Amino acid sequence: MEPIQNAFGKLIQKEGFKERYESLKEEVISHPHIQQFIEEHEEVTTSMVERSLIKLYEYIGQSVACKECPSLEGCKNMIQGYHPHLIIQGKMIDIQYERCPRKVTHDERKKQESLIQSVYMPKDILEASMASVDLGDPQRFNAILAAKQFLDEYEPGKRVQGLYLYGAFGVGKTYILGAVANALAERQIASMIVYLPEFLRELKSSIQDNTLHDKIDAVKRVPVLMMDDIGAEAMSSFVRDDILGTILQFRMLENLPTFFTSNFDFKGLEHHLTYTQRGEEEKMKAARIMERIKYLAKPVEVLGGNRRL
Ligand code: ADP
Ligand code: MG
């Protein structure tokens, strides 16, 4: 094979090379990201830019911050799930590839799923979207409106109340959670739906294998947590005070949005949480959990027929 130097030399001598080179340079320099990089780094000189032209050209051909990709699977970059970042290396500008926001969210979800089995997204709900929830349905209108309002108001770090969606079996409560979770994922905001009865069973069996703490910790810190079917679990003082109490207390202090679905309204859930008839003390403890739930989430009744029939 001909040494690369020679080949390059020939190319340079070819007709029109200079014009092509100039127009490529123009295209690179006028790119808004490159402009911004030059403005932010005083040390960048024209000769540095010229020396790094091939790298910069590679950079402008890639999608940054997922802006030009429809999804992680549809990522157009050279290395799927990685986007370029410009850095200065001596007298050159170089590219570093880092995980893109979608890939970070995806990896985070995978990690949660491998840690916590009861994090789930049923198949039909995987496809739930705010667009597909039936807005023309007056009985569900309040709940869908409240979900839309949450999505409009929420941004990471802001305190926005989640929703406590309650109503009969099959009316579409979990489906609404799925639609909210998917809408958040599109904005690269991590959320987690835990099916509470299963999660609590799982926690009890992880007391032995020392993963209990890690599991509670992952759930407690997720940016948007959705507890599906609270009230359907087997209640005990351990579940109520040590698990639910701990998670909810943390989320309250950190202003982390939390959603719930339940067959019970607040009154019914309070009764469920007062699981034994051991008198006043249990009532106080149940009331304390209810206070936290009411602080975290706004109650919205979901009406309508059973969609599973
Ligand atoms: P719930 O959690 O209230 O018991 P689900 O959310 O599981 O009810 O909904 C019951 C069934 O109806 C599910 O199969 C779900 O996919 C479907 N479903 C609910 N809401 C909608 C909707 N707006 N559009 C299409 N399917 C829906
Ligand atoms: Mg449900």
Side-chain angles (χ1 to χ4, degrees):
M1 202 178 90
E2 194 177 17
I4 198 104
Q5 241 61 343
N6 294 356
F8 199 62
K10 272 186 203 154
L11 188 69
I12 287 179
Q13 285 153 17
K14 268 200 183 153
E15 275 300 277
F17 176 80
K18 193 152 173 52
E19 286 74 14
R20 283 208 307 280
Y21 176 82
E22 287 303 327
S23 83
L24 189 141
K25 190 166 128 189
E26 183 53 37
E27 189 188 343
V28 164
I29 292 176
S30 61
H31 191 278
H33 286 177
I34 305 288
Q35 285 273 330
Q36 195 189 345
F37 185 79
I38 294 173
E39 267 166 40
E40 285 169 2
H41 297 83
E42 291 173 345
E43 63 271 45
V44 174
T45 59
T46 316
S47 65
M48 250 167 114
V49 171
E50 281 173 351
R51 221 174 287 134
S52 316
L53 214 53
I54 296 192
K55 287 286 176 186
L56 296 176
Y57 189 68
E58 178 181 328
Y59 177 90
I60 66 170
Q62 303 286 291
S63 159
V64 174
C66 308
K67 293 240 161 57
E68 295 165 40
C69 306
S71 61
L72 186 57
E73 293 69 37
C75 176
K76 57 164 271 198
N77 285 357
M78 283 197 312
I79 318 168
Q80 207 176 51
Y82 286 77
H83 68 168
H85 174 76
L86 295 174
I87 51 158
I88 296 179
Q89 288 269 29
K91 293 197 157 83
M92 286 268 297
I93 303 168
D94 204 354
I95 298 184
Q96 238 172 17
Y97 279 92
E98 291 166 353
R99 286 187 304 160
C100 64
R102 279 210 183 93
K103 170 91 171 131
V104 170
T105 313
H106 171 86
D107 290 352
E108 196 57 33
R109 180 171 277 185
K110 283 274 163 235
K111 204 173 87 197
Q112 290 168 358
E113 278 173 358
S114 64
L115 179 67
I116 304 164
Q117 308 303 314
S118 45
V119 170
Y120 81 127
M121 198 51 137
K123 232 198 181 117
D124 51 344
I125 295 195
L126 204 59
E127 281 128 40
S129 76
M130 288 305 287
S132 71
V133 291
D134 191 357
L135 258 185
D137 182 344
Q139 292 187 297
R140 263 173 274 253
F141 190 70
N142 279 346
I144 292 158
L145 198 66
K148 279 199 189 298
Q149 241 164 25
F150 171 84
L151 288 169
D152 286 343
E153 283 173 31
Y154 177 67
E155 48 193 271
K158 192 169 163 190
R159 184 188 166 239
V160 181
Q161 255 190 325
L163 303 175
Y164 180 90
L165 301 170
Y166 66 98
F169 177 81
V171 292
K173 302 181 294 295
T174 304
Y175 191 89
I176 296 174
L177 290 188
V180 172
N182 287 335
L184 290 171
E186 268 171 35
R187 284 156 55 186
Q188 281 98 49
I189 299 169
S191 65
M192 195 197 258
I193 304 181
V194 285
Y195 182 57
L196 205 59
E198 184 60 36
F199 177 59
L200 296 170
R201 266 197 295 278
E202 195 187 328
L203 285 186
K204 281 186 206 154
S205 61
S206 36
I207 296 175
Q208 284 92 348
D209 66 15
N210 294 323
T211 55
L212 179 74
H213 178 264
D214 289 352
K215 288 182 183 193
I216 294 183
D217 212 56
V219 166
K220 142 180 138 173
R221 291 176 192 280
V222 70
V224 179
L225 174 64
M226 305 179 170
M227 289 189 167
D228 198 18
D229 245 342
I230 189 169
E233 71 289 334
M235 197 35 73
S236 69
S237 62
F238 170 68
V239 160
R240 182 191 58 206
D241 307 327
D242 299 313
I243 299 178
L244 285 177
T246 307
I247 295 172
L248 300 182
Q249 172 79 357
F250 181 87
R251 299 192 67 81
M252 230 171 95
L253 294 175
E254 299 290 320
N255 287 330
L256 296 170
T258 310
F259 286 69
F260 303 86
T261 74
S262 185
N263 286 350
F264 289 127
D265 61 7
F266 277 165
K267 201 158 168 280
L269 184 66
E270 184 155 0
H271 180 77
H272 172 77
L273 290 169
T274 319
Y275 75 102
T276 60
Q277 301 306 316
R278 268 191 248 144
E280 285 310 306
E281 198 196 328
E282 296 295 343
K283 278 197 187 137
M284 287 284 295
K285 286 184 172 166
R288 197 172 308 146
I289 300 288
M290 288 312 299
E291 256 170 42
R292 293 176 188 165
I293 294 176
K294 287 174 187 169
Y295 177 89
L296 287 165
K298 187 170 85 175
V300 181
E301 186 169 15
V302 189
L303 297 162
N306 185 347
R307 287 201 169 228
R308 292 179 218 239
L309 297 177

